[in-house]
Amino acid sequence: CSYRGLGYSGVAGLLYPLLGACLWASVVGYKPVVIVHGLFDSSGDFIHLQHFINESHPGTNVTVIDLFDGSSSLQPMWKQVEGFKTAIYPIIQNAEDGVHFICYSQGGLVCRGILSTLSDHNVQSFISLSSPQAGQYGDTDYLRYLFPQFVKSNLFHICYTSVGQRISICNYWNDPHHRDLYVNSSDYLALLNSEKHNPNSTEWKKNFLKIKTLVLIGGPDDGVISPWQSSQFGFYDDNETVVEMQHQDLYLRDVFGLKTLAARGDLIICSVPGVEHVHWHSNDTVFHMCMEKWLV
């Protein structure tokens, strides 16, 4: 920058606001932000989101965890939970005032696994960005790529086997027409939701409820998460009619804390139309509407 010809008052006019912003950032001390990517993604896909955060919250330490990139994101969900947990734990330990999670798509389910099983986490805001929190059941481009011989109605033949459960998407494939098979076979989502017996459910709920805020972001034009309401814990009944979160058994029985969060006023629903799945983390409207205020 060149200040030539501005004079003292001109330079002061430029520097004082900048100095004020720097002092504000140091006094406020924005908490570190950890970003966990989704299926087939990598850390390089989140440049826009990092920019949004640094522009609105100067000085924020933003870490996009560079693990299970590309096809490695198909590895079993519990394996990914343990890997991400190991990478994230030092960040948590070094953040005296806590951290924020932004977890995109499949990453939102990875983060739930971390928050449920890590007893000493200090995550303040858990921002679930278009994540299939209640499961996935839809014919998408991802599905056609992974299982070209199958459609949603017969994928249960693969997913609900011991071999299928070695593939991440099968760990949260939720076929509403084969509920018993899902509950008995799902090694991940059914356990997280306590839809199958989980001896650790009380402890996991206690761990999960250490978060201060849960933000559930999704929208009707997503095109991948099926149904899109799964991003906000809604899901199909056996007629493929969407039952919203507030009428789901996992909410009514408060199996892992959704109802408690709602009663605390800490469950935030943010729905944005017109956003396709791959654009959630690069859309500035989504950031300003649904994320910005929770990253302090």
Side-chain angles (χ1 to χ4, degrees), residues 187-267:
D187 289 339
Y188 192 75
L189 185 62
L191 204 58
L192 272 185
N193 288 346
S194 287
E195 292 163 306
K196 68 192 301 180
H197 176 64
N198 177 8
N200 299 309
S201 60
T202 301
E203 180 188 350
W204 286 15
K205 179 178 179 179
K206 181 181 176 183
N207 293 341
F208 187 75
L209 282 171
K210 288 182 178 179
I211 63 173
K212 298 293 187 289
T213 309
L214 172 61
V215 184
L216 300 173
I217 304 171
D221 301 303
D222 182 274
V224 170
I225 305 302
S226 303
W228 75 266
Q229 292 92 339
S230 178
S231 59
Q232 298 165 350
F233 286 100
F235 206 71
Y236 295 126
D237 62 13
D238 56 7
N239 293 316
E240 292 192 40
T241 300
V242 173
V243 178
E244 299 289 349
M245 173 181 65
Q246 291 84 349
H247 303 291
Q248 291 283 346
D249 183 63
L250 56 78
Y251 179 88
L252 295 169
R253 293 195 297 117
D254 201 27
V255 292
F256 60 89
L258 283 179
K259 198 172 183 180
T260 298
L261 287 167
R264 280 174 16 190
D266 296 331
L267 178 56

Coordinates of all heavy atoms in Angstrom, one line a residue, residues 187-267:
D187 N -23.7 -50.6 11.4 CA -22.7 -50.5 12.5 C -22.5 -49.1 13.0 O -21.8 -48.9 14.0 CB -21.3 -51.1 11.9 CG -21.3 -52.5 11.7 OD1 -22.2 -53.2 12.3 OD2 -20.5 -53.0 10.9
Y188 N -23.0 -48.2 12.3 CA -22.7 -46.8 12.6 C -24.0 -45.9 13.0 O -24.2 -45.6 14.2 CB -22.0 -46.1 11.5 CG -21.4 -44.8 11.9 CD1 -20.2 -44.7 12.7 CD2 -22.0 -43.6 11.5 CE1 -19.7 -43.5 13.1 CE2 -21.4 -42.3 11.9 CZ -20.3 -42.3 12.7 OH -19.8 -41.1 13.1
L189 N -24.8 -45.6 12.0 CA -25.9 -44.7 12.3 C -26.9 -45.2 13.3 O -27.3 -44.5 14.2 CB -26.6 -44.3 11.0 CG -27.7 -43.2 11.1 CD1 -27.0 -41.9 11.6 CD2 -28.4 -43.0 9.8
A190 N -27.2 -46.5 13.1 CA -28.2 -47.1 14.1 C -27.7 -47.1 15.5 O -28.5 -47.0 16.4 CB -28.6 -48.5 13.6
L191 N -26.4 -47.2 15.6 CA -25.8 -47.1 16.9 C -25.7 -45.7 17.5 O -26.1 -45.5 18.6 CB -24.3 -47.7 16.8 CG -23.7 -48.3 18.1 CD1 -24.5 -49.4 18.7 CD2 -22.3 -48.7 17.8
L192 N -25.4 -44.7 16.6 CA -25.4 -43.3 17.0 C -26.7 -42.9 17.5 O -26.9 -42.1 18.4 CB -24.9 -42.4 15.9 CG -23.4 -42.2 15.7 CD1 -23.2 -41.2 14.6 CD2 -22.7 -41.6 16.9
N193 N -27.8 -43.4 16.8 CA -29.1 -42.9 17.1 C -29.8 -43.8 18.1 O -31.0 -43.6 18.4 CB -30.0 -43.0 15.8 CG -29.6 -41.9 14.8 OD1 -29.0 -41.0 15.1 ND2 -30.1 -42.1 13.6
S194 N -29.0 -44.8 18.7 CA -29.6 -45.7 19.6 C -30.8 -46.4 19.1 O -31.8 -46.7 19.9 CB -29.9 -45.0 21.0 OG -28.7 -44.7 21.7
E195 N -30.8 -46.6 17.8 CA -31.9 -47.4 17.2 C -31.7 -48.9 17.4 O -32.6 -49.7 17.4 CB -32.0 -47.1 15.7 CG -32.5 -45.6 15.5 CD -32.2 -45.2 14.1 OE1 -31.1 -45.2 13.6 OE2 -33.2 -44.7 13.4
K196 N -30.4 -49.3 17.6 CA -30.1 -50.6 18.1 C -29.5 -50.5 19.5 O -29.0 -49.4 19.9 CB -29.1 -51.3 17.1 CG -27.7 -50.7 17.1 CD -26.9 -51.2 15.9 CE -26.7 -52.7 15.9 NZ -25.9 -53.1 14.7
H197 N -29.5 -51.5 20.2 CA -29.0 -51.5 21.6 C -27.5 -50.9 21.6 O -26.7 -51.4 20.9 CB -29.0 -52.8 22.3 CG -28.5 -52.8 23.7 ND1 -29.1 -52.1 24.7 CD2 -27.4 -53.4 24.2 CE1 -28.4 -52.3 25.8 NE2 -27.3 -53.1 25.5
N198 N -27.4 -49.9 22.5 CA -26.0 -49.3 22.6 C -25.8 -49.2 24.1 O -26.3 -48.3 24.8 CB -26.0 -47.9 21.9 CG -24.7 -47.2 22.1 OD1 -23.7 -47.8 22.7 ND2 -24.6 -46.0 21.7
P199 N -24.9 -50.0 24.6 CA -24.6 -50.0 26.1 C -24.0 -48.6 26.5 O -24.0 -48.3 27.7 CB -23.6 -51.1 26.3 CG -23.0 -51.4 24.9 CD -24.1 -51.1 24.0
N200 N -23.4 -47.9 25.6 CA -22.8 -46.6 25.9 C -23.7 -45.4 25.6 O -23.2 -44.2 25.7 CB -21.5 -46.4 25.0 CG -20.5 -47.5 25.3 OD1 -20.2 -47.8 26.4 ND2 -20.0 -48.2 24.2
S201 N -25.0 -45.6 25.4 CA -25.9 -44.5 25.0 C -25.9 -43.4 26.0 O -26.0 -42.2 25.6 CB -27.3 -45.1 24.7 OG -27.8 -45.6 25.8
T202 N -26.0 -43.7 27.2 CA -26.0 -42.6 28.3 C -24.8 -41.8 28.3 O -24.9 -40.5 28.3 CB -26.2 -43.2 29.7 OG1 -27.4 -44.0 29.7 CG2 -26.4 -42.2 30.7
E203 N -23.6 -42.4 28.2 CA -22.4 -41.7 28.1 C -22.3 -40.9 26.9 O -21.8 -39.7 26.9 CB -21.2 -42.7 28.3 CG -19.8 -42.0 28.3 CD -18.7 -42.9 28.2 OE1 -18.9 -44.2 28.3 OE2 -17.5 -42.5 27.9
W204 N -22.6 -41.5 25.7 CA -22.6 -40.8 24.4 C -23.5 -39.5 24.4 O -23.1 -38.5 23.9 CB -22.9 -41.7 23.3 CG -21.9 -42.7 23.0 CD1 -20.8 -43.1 23.7 CD2 -21.8 -43.5 21.8 NE1 -20.1 -44.0 23.1 CE2 -20.7 -44.4 21.9 CE3 -22.6 -43.7 20.7 CZ2 -20.3 -45.3 21.0 CZ3 -22.3 -44.6 19.7 CH2 -21.1 -45.4 19.8
K205 N -24.6 -39.6 25.0 CA -25.5 -38.5 25.1 C -24.9 -37.4 25.9 O -25.0 -36.2 25.6 CB -26.9 -38.9 25.7 CG -27.9 -37.8 25.8 CD -29.2 -38.4 26.3 CE -30.3 -37.3 26.5 NZ -31.6 -37.8 27.0
K206 N -24.4 -37.8 27.0 CA -23.7 -36.8 27.9 C -22.6 -36.1 27.2 O -22.4 -34.8 27.3 CB -23.2 -37.5 29.2 CG -22.5 -36.6 30.2 CD -22.0 -37.4 31.4 CE -21.2 -36.5 32.4 NZ -20.7 -37.3 33.5
N207 N -21.8 -36.8 26.5 CA -20.7 -36.2 25.7 C -21.2 -35.2 24.6 O -20.7 -34.1 24.5 CB -19.9 -37.3 25.0 CG -19.1 -38.2 26.0 OD1 -18.9 -37.8 27.2 ND2 -18.7 -39.3 25.6
F208 N -22.2 -35.7 23.9 CA -22.8 -34.9 22.8 C -23.4 -33.6 23.3 O -23.2 -32.5 22.7 CB -23.9 -35.7 22.0 CG -24.4 -35.0 20.8 CD1 -23.6 -35.0 19.6 CD2 -25.6 -34.4 20.8 CE1 -24.0 -34.3 18.5 CE2 -26.1 -33.7 19.6 CZ -25.3 -33.7 18.5
L209 N -24.0 -33.6 24.5 CA -24.7 -32.5 25.0 C -23.7 -31.4 25.6 O -24.1 -30.4 26.1 CB -25.7 -32.9 26.1 CG -27.0 -33.4 25.5 CD1 -27.9 -34.0 26.6 CD2 -27.7 -32.3 24.7
K210 N -22.4 -31.7 25.5 CA -21.4 -30.7 25.9 C -21.3 -29.6 24.9 O -20.8 -28.5 25.2 CB -20.0 -31.4 26.1 CG -20.0 -32.2 27.4 CD -18.6 -32.8 27.6 CE -18.5 -33.6 28.8 NZ -17.2 -34.2 29.0
I211 N -21.8 -29.8 23.7 CA -21.8 -28.7 22.7 C -22.8 -27.6 23.2 O -23.7 -27.9 23.9 CB -22.2 -29.1 21.3 CG1 -23.7 -29.7 21.3 CG2 -21.2 -30.2 20.8 CD1 -24.2 -30.0 19.9
K212 N -22.5 -26.4 22.9 CA -23.3 -25.2 23.3 C -24.4 -25.0 22.2 O -25.5 -24.6 22.6 CB -22.5 -23.9 23.4 CG -21.4 -24.0 24.4 CD -22.0 -24.1 25.8 CE -20.9 -24.0 26.9 NZ -20.0 -25.2 27.0
T213 N -24.1 -25.3 21.0 CA -25.1 -25.0 19.9 C -25.0 -26.0 18.8 O -23.9 -26.4 18.4 CB -24.9 -23.6 19.3 OG1 -24.8 -22.6 20.3 CG2 -26.0 -23.2 18.3
L214 N -26.1 -26.5 18.3 CA -26.2 -27.4 17.1 C -26.9 -26.6 16.0 O -28.1 -26.2 16.2 CB -26.9 -28.7 17.5 CG -27.2 -29.6 16.3 CD1 -25.9 -30.1 15.6 CD2 -28.0 -30.8 16.7
V215 N -26.2 -26.4 14.9 CA -26.8 -25.7 13.8 C -27.0 -26.7 12.6 O -26.0 -27.3 12.2 CB -25.9 -24.5 13.3 CG1 -26.6 -23.8 12.2 CG2 -25.6 -23.6 14.5
L216 N -28.2 -26.9 12.2 CA -28.6 -27.9 11.1 C -28.9 -27.2 9.9 O -30.0 -26.5 9.8 CB -29.7 -28.8 11.6 CG -29.5 -29.6 12.8 CD1 -30.7 -30.3 13.3 CD2 -28.3 -30.6 12.6
I217 N -28.0 -27.2 8.8 CA -28.2 -26.5 7.6 C -28.6 -27.4 6.5 O -27.9 -28.5 6.3 CB -26.9 -25.7 7.3 CG1 -26.5 -24.8 8.4 CG2 -27.1 -24.9 6.0 CD1 -25.1 -24.2 8.2
G218 N -29.6 -27.1 5.7 CA -30.0 -27.9 4.5 C -31.0 -27.1 3.7 O -31.3 -26.0 4.0
G219 N -31.4 -27.7 2.6 CA -32.3 -27.0 1.7 C -33.0 -27.9 0.7 O -32.4 -29.0 0.3
P220 N -34.1 -27.5 0.1 CA -34.9 -28.4 -0.8 C -34.3 -28.6 -2.2 O -34.7 -29.5 -2.9 CB -36.2 -27.6 -0.9 CG -35.8 -26.2 -0.6 CD -34.8 -26.2 0.4
D221 N -33.2 -27.8 -2.5 CA -32.6 -28.0 -3.8 C -31.3 -28.6 -3.8 O -30.5 -28.5 -4.7 CB -32.5 -26.6 -4.5 CG -33.9 -25.9 -4.7 OD1 -34.8 -26.5 -5.3 OD2 -34.1 -24.8 -4.1
D222 N -31.0 -29.3 -2.7 CA -29.7 -30.0 -2.5 C -29.4 -31.0 -3.6 O -28.3 -31.0 -4.1 CB -29.7 -30.7 -1.1 CG -28.4 -31.3 -0.8 OD1 -28.2 -32.5 -1.2 OD2 -27.6 -30.7 -0.1
G223 N -30.3 -31.9 -3.9 CA -30.1 -32.8 -5.0 C -29.3 -34.0 -4.6 O -29.2 -34.9 -5.5
V224 N -28.7 -34.1 -3.5 CA -27.9 -35.3 -3.1 C -28.5 -35.9 -1.8 O -28.8 -37.1 -1.8 CB -26.4 -35.0 -2.9 CG1 -25.6 -36.1 -2.3 CG2 -25.8 -34.6 -4.3
I225 N -28.6 -35.2 -0.7 CA -29.1 -35.7 0.5 C -30.6 -36.1 0.3 O -31.4 -35.2 -0.1 CB -28.9 -34.7 1.7 CG1 -27.5 -34.2 1.8 CG2 -29.4 -35.3 3.0 CD1 -26.5 -35.3 2.1
S226 N -30.9 -37.3 0.5 CA -32.3 -37.8 0.3 C -32.8 -38.5 1.5 O -32.3 -39.5 1.9 CB -32.3 -38.7 -0.9 OG -31.7 -38.1 -2.1
P227 N -34.0 -38.0 2.0 CA -34.6 -36.8 1.6 C -33.7 -35.6 2.2 O -32.9 -35.8 3.1 CB -35.9 -36.8 2.4 CG -35.6 -37.6 3.6 CD -34.6 -38.7 3.2
W228 N -33.9 -34.4 1.6 CA -33.1 -33.3 2.0 C -33.3 -33.0 3.5 O -32.4 -32.5 4.2 CB -33.3 -32.1 1.2 CG -34.6 -31.3 1.4 CD1 -35.8 -31.4 0.8 CD2 -34.8 -30.3 2.4 NE1 -36.7 -30.6 1.3 CE2 -36.1 -29.9 2.3 CE3 -34.0 -29.7 3.4 CZ2 -36.7 -28.9 3.1 CZ3 -34.6 -28.7 4.2 CH2 -35.9 -28.3 4.1
Q229 N -34.5 -33.3 4.0 CA -34.8 -33.0 5.4 C -33.9 -33.9 6.4 O -33.9 -33.6 7.6 CB -36.3 -33.3 5.7 CG -37.2 -32.3 5.0 CD -37.7 -32.8 3.7 OE1 -37.1 -33.6 3.0 NE2 -38.8 -32.3 3.2
S230 N -33.3 -34.9 5.9 CA -32.3 -35.7 6.7 C -31.3 -34.8 7.3 O -30.7 -35.1 8.4 CB -31.7 -36.8 5.9 OG -30.8 -37.5 6.7
S231 N -30.9 -33.7 6.6 CA -29.9 -32.7 7.1 C -30.4 -32.1 8.4 O -29.6 -31.5 9.1 CB -29.6 -31.7 6.0 OG -30.8 -31.0 5.6
Q232 N -31.7 -32.2 8.6 CA -32.3 -31.6 9.9 C -33.1 -32.7 10.6 O -34.1 -32.4 11.3 CB -33.2 -30.4 9.5 CG -32.4 -29.3 8.8 CD -33.2 -28.3 8.1 OE1 -34.4 -28.4 7.9 NE2 -32.6 -27.2 7.7
F233 N -32.6 -33.9 10.5 CA -33.1 -35.1 11.2 C -34.6 -35.5 10.9 O -35.2 -36.2 11.6 CB -33.0 -34.9 12.7 CG -31.6 -35.1 13.2 CD1 -30.8 -33.9 13.5 CD2 -31.0 -36.3 13.4 CE1 -29.5 -34.1 13.9 CE2 -29.7 -36.5 13.8 CZ -28.9 -35.4 14.1
G234 N -35.1 -35.0 9.7 CA -36.3 -35.6 9.2 C -36.0 -36.8 8.3 O -34.9 -36.9 7.8
F235 N -37.0 -37.7 8.2 CA -36.7 -38.8 7.3 C -38.0 -39.5 6.8 O -39.1 -39.2 7.3 CB -35.8 -39.9 8.0 CG -35.1 -40.7 7.1 CD1 -34.0 -40.2 6.3 CD2 -35.4 -42.1 6.8 CE1 -33.3 -41.0 5.4 CE2 -34.7 -42.8 5.9 CZ -33.6 -42.3 5.2
Y236 N -37.9 -40.4 5.9 CA -39.0 -41.1 5.3 C -39.6 -42.1 6.3 O -38.9 -42.7 7.1 CB -38.6 -41.9 4.1 CG -38.1 -41.1 2.9 CD1 -36.9 -41.4 2.3 CD2 -38.9 -40.1 2.3 CE1 -36.5 -40.7 1.2 CE2 -38.5 -39.4 1.2 CZ -37.3 -39.7 0.6 OH -36.8 -39.0 -0.5
D237 N -41.0 -42.2 6.2 CA -41.6 -43.4 6.8 C -41.7 -44.5 5.8 O -41.1 -44.3 4.7 CB -43.0 -43.1 7.4 CG -44.0 -42.6 6.3 OD1 -43.7 -42.8 5.1 OD2 -45.0 -42.1 6.7
D238 N -42.3 -45.6 6.0 CA -42.3 -46.7 5.1 C -43.1 -46.4 3.8 O -43.1 -47.2 2.9 CB -42.7 -48.0 5.7 CG -44.1 -47.9 6.4 OD1 -44.8 -46.9 6.2 OD2 -44.5 -48.9 7.1
N239 N -43.8 -45.3 3.8 CA -44.5 -44.9 2.6 C -43.7 -43.8 1.8 O -44.2 -43.2 0.8 CB -45.9 -44.3 2.9 CG -46.8 -45.4 3.4 OD1 -46.9 -46.5 2.9 ND2 -47.6 -45.0 4.5
E240 N -42.5 -43.6 2.3 CA -41.6 -42.5 1.7 C -42.2 -41.1 1.9 O -42.0 -40.3 1.0 CB -41.2 -42.8 0.3 CG -40.3 -44.0 0.2 CD -39.6 -44.2 -1.2 OE1 -39.2 -43.2 -1.8 OE2 -39.5 -45.4 -1.6
T241 N -43.0 -41.0 2.9 CA -43.5 -39.6 3.3 C -42.5 -39.1 4.4 O -42.2 -39.8 5.3 CB -44.9 -39.7 3.9 OG1 -45.8 -40.2 2.9 CG2 -45.4 -38.3 4.3
V242 N -42.1 -37.8 4.2 CA -41.1 -37.3 5.1 C -41.8 -37.0 6.5 O -42.8 -36.3 6.5 CB -40.4 -36.0 4.6 CG1 -39.5 -35.4 5.6 CG2 -39.6 -36.4 3.3
V243 N -41.2 -37.5 7.5 CA -41.6 -37.2 8.9 C -40.6 -36.2 9.5 O -39.4 -36.6 9.5 CB -41.7 -38.4 9.8 CG1 -42.1 -38.1 11.2 CG2 -42.7 -39.4 9.1
E244 N -41.0 -35.0 9.9 CA -40.0 -34.0 10.3 C -39.4 -34.4 11.7 O -40.0 -35.3 12.4 CB -40.7 -32.7 10.5 CG -41.3 -32.1 9.2 CD -40.3 -31.6 8.2 OE1 -39.1 -31.5 8.6 OE2 -40.6 -31.3 7.1
M245 N -38.3 -33.8 12.0 CA -37.5 -34.2 13.2 C -38.4 -34.2 14.5 O -38.3 -35.2 15.2 CB -36.4 -33.1 13.4 CG -35.6 -33.3 14.7 SD -34.3 -32.1 14.9 CE -35.3 -30.6 15.0
Q246 N -39.2 -33.2 14.7 CA -40.0 -33.1 15.9 C -40.9 -34.3 16.1 O -41.4 -34.5 17.2 CB -40.8 -31.8 16.0 CG -39.9 -30.6 16.1 CD -39.4 -30.1 14.8 OE1 -39.5 -30.8 13.8 NE2 -38.8 -28.9 14.8
H247 N -41.2 -35.1 15.1 CA -42.1 -36.2 15.2 C -41.3 -37.6 15.0 O -41.9 -38.6 15.0 CB -43.2 -36.2 14.1 CG -44.0 -34.9 14.1 ND1 -44.9 -34.6 15.2 CD2 -44.0 -33.8 13.3 CE1 -45.4 -33.5 15.0 NE2 -44.9 -32.9 13.9
Q248 N -40.0 -37.5 15.0 CA -39.2 -38.7 14.9 C -39.0 -39.3 16.3 O -38.8 -38.5 17.3 CB -37.8 -38.4 14.3 CG -37.8 -38.0 12.8 CD -38.0 -39.2 11.9 OE1 -37.9 -40.3 12.3 NE2 -38.4 -38.9 10.7
D249 N -38.9 -40.6 16.4 CA -38.7 -41.3 17.6 C -37.5 -40.8 18.4 O -37.5 -40.6 19.6 CB -38.7 -42.8 17.4 CG -38.6 -43.5 18.7 OD1 -39.6 -43.4 19.6 OD2 -37.6 -44.2 18.9
L250 N -36.4 -40.6 17.6 CA -35.1 -40.3 18.2 C -35.2 -38.9 18.9 O -34.4 -38.6 19.8 CB -34.0 -40.3 17.2 CG -34.0 -39.6 15.9 CD1 -33.6 -38.1 16.1 CD2 -33.0 -40.2 14.9
Y251 N -36.1 -38.0 18.4 CA -36.3 -36.7 19.0 C -37.2 -36.9 20.2 O -36.9 -36.4 21.3 CB -36.9 -35.7 18.0 CG -37.2 -34.4 18.5 CD1 -36.2 -33.4 18.5 CD2 -38.4 -34.0 19.1 CE1 -36.4 -32.1 19.1 CE2 -38.6 -32.8 19.6 CZ -37.7 -31.8 19.6 OH -37.9 -30.6 20.1
L252 N -38.4 -37.5 20.0 CA -39.4 -37.6 21.1 C -38.8 -38.3 22.3 O -39.1 -37.9 23.4 CB -40.6 -38.4 20.5 CG -41.4 -37.7 19.4 CD1 -42.4 -38.6 18.8 CD2 -42.1 -36.4 20.0
R253 N -38.0 -39.3 22.1 CA -37.3 -40.0 23.2 C -36.0 -39.4 23.7 O -35.4 -39.8 24.6 CB -37.1 -41.5 22.9 CG -38.4 -42.3 22.7 CD -38.1 -43.8 22.7 NE -37.2 -44.3 21.6 CZ -36.0 -44.8 21.8 NH1 -35.5 -44.9 23.0 NH2 -35.3 -45.2 20.7
D254 N -35.6 -38.4 22.9 CA -34.4 -37.6 23.3 C -33.2 -38.6 23.5 O -32.4 -38.4 24.4 CB -34.6 -36.8 24.6 CG -33.6 -35.7 24.7 OD1 -33.2 -35.2 23.7 OD2 -33.4 -35.3 25.9
V255 N -33.1 -39.5 22.5 CA -32.1 -40.6 22.7 C -30.6 -40.1 22.8 O -29.8 -40.7 23.5 CB -32.2 -41.6 21.6 CG1 -33.5 -42.4 21.7 CG2 -32.1 -41.0 20.2
F256 N -30.3 -39.0 22.1 CA -28.9 -38.5 22.2 C -28.9 -37.0 22.4 O -27.8 -36.4 22.4 CB -28.1 -38.9 21.0 CG -28.6 -38.3 19.7 CD1 -28.2 -37.1 19.2 CD2 -29.4 -39.1 18.9 CE1 -28.7 -36.6 18.0 CE2 -29.9 -38.6 17.7 CZ -29.5 -37.4 17.2
G257 N -30.1 -36.4 22.7 CA -30.0 -35.0 23.2 C -30.7 -33.9 22.3 O -30.7 -32.7 22.7
L258 N -31.3 -34.3 21.2 CA -31.9 -33.3 20.3 C -33.0 -32.5 21.1 O -33.0 -31.2 21.0 CB -32.5 -33.9 19.1 CG -31.6 -34.3 18.0 CD1 -32.4 -35.0 16.8 CD2 -30.7 -33.2 17.4
K259 N -33.9 -33.2 21.8 CA -34.9 -32.5 22.5 C -34.4 -31.6 23.6 O -34.9 -30.5 23.8 CB -35.9 -33.5 23.0 CG -37.3 -33.0 23.4 CD -38.2 -34.2 23.8 CE -39.6 -33.6 24.1 NZ -40.5 -34.8 24.4
T260 N -33.4 -32.1 24.2 CA -32.7 -31.3 25.3 C -32.1 -30.0 24.7 O -32.3 -28.9 25.3 CB -31.6 -32.1 26.0 OG1 -32.2 -33.2 26.6 CG2 -30.9 -31.2 27.0
L261 N -31.5 -30.1 23.6 CA -30.9 -28.9 22.9 C -32.0 -28.0 22.5 O -31.9 -26.7 22.7 CB -30.1 -29.3 21.7 CG -28.8 -30.0 21.9 CD1 -28.2 -30.6 20.6 CD2 -27.7 -29.0 22.5
A262 N -33.1 -28.5 22.0 CA -34.2 -27.6 21.6 C -34.8 -26.9 22.9 O -35.1 -25.7 22.8 CB -35.3 -28.4 20.9
A263 N -34.9 -27.6 24.0 CA -35.5 -27.0 25.2 C -34.5 -25.9 25.7 O -35.0 -24.9 26.3 CB -35.7 -28.1 26.3
R264 N -33.2 -26.1 25.5 CA -32.2 -25.1 25.9 C -32.2 -23.9 25.0 O -31.6 -22.9 25.3 CB -30.8 -25.8 25.9 CG -30.5 -26.6 27.1 CD -29.2 -27.3 27.0 NE -28.2 -26.9 26.0 CZ -27.1 -27.6 25.8 NH1 -26.8 -28.8 26.4 NH2 -26.2 -27.2 24.9
G265 N -32.8 -24.0 23.8 CA -32.8 -23.0 22.8 C -31.5 -23.0 22.0 O -31.1 -22.1 21.4
D266 N -30.9 -24.2 22.0 CA -29.6 -24.4 21.4 C -29.6 -25.2 20.1 O -28.6 -25.7 19.6 CB -28.6 -25.0 22.4 CG -28.3 -24.1 23.5 OD1 -28.4 -22.8 23.4 OD2 -28.0 -24.6 24.6
L267 N -30.8 -25.5 19.6 CA -31.0 -26.2 18.3 C -31.5 -25.3 17.3 O -32.6 -24.7 17.3 CB -32.0 -27.4 18.5 CG -32.3 -28.2 17.3 CD1 -31.0 -28.8 16.7 CD2 -33.3 -29.3 17.7

